[in-house]
């Protein structure tokens, strides 16, 4: 399974946000970092689910 171009773009944008939070490194953004990383994982899971369900149809 490969990620779609749209998903790749979205993940890259989220990773840029994470990079900015890490660069600031003020300790207040740890929850934001975790949230963004969780959203990335969740998006990959949703696309994987969609991919396998489309094959079964």
């Amino acid at each position: 399974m490969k990620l779609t171009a749209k998903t790749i773009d979205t993940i890259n944008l989220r990773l840029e946000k994470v990079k900015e939070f890490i660069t600031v490194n003020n300790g207040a953004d740890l929850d934001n970092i975790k949230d963004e990383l969780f959203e990335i994982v969740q998006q990959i899971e949703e696309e994987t689910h969609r991919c396998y369900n489309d094959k079964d149809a």
Side-chain angles (χ1 to χ4, degrees):
M1 186 207 104
K2 290 186 177 182
L3 298 174
T4 63
K6 181 181 176 185
T7 300
I8 291 169
D9 290 342
T10 303
I11 289 171
N12 282 329
L13 288 173
R14 289 192 181 277
L15 288 172
E16 284 298 318
K17 282 185 188 177
V18 170
K19 183 179 176 181
E20 289 173 21
F21 289 139
I22 290 171
T23 300
V24 171
N25 193 24
N26 65 8
D29 291 323
L30 291 177
D31 284 336
N32 292 331
I33 292 168
K34 289 190 281 186
D35 289 344
E36 291 296 328
L37 292 173
F38 178 75
E39 289 294 328
I40 291 169
V41 171
Q42 187 174 10
Q43 190 164 14
I44 292 169
E45 289 292 325
E46 287 173 6
E47 187 159 326
T48 301
H49 179 75
R50 226 180 358 259
C51 175
Y52 288 114
N53 283 340
D54 287 347
K55 285 184 179 179
D56 292 339

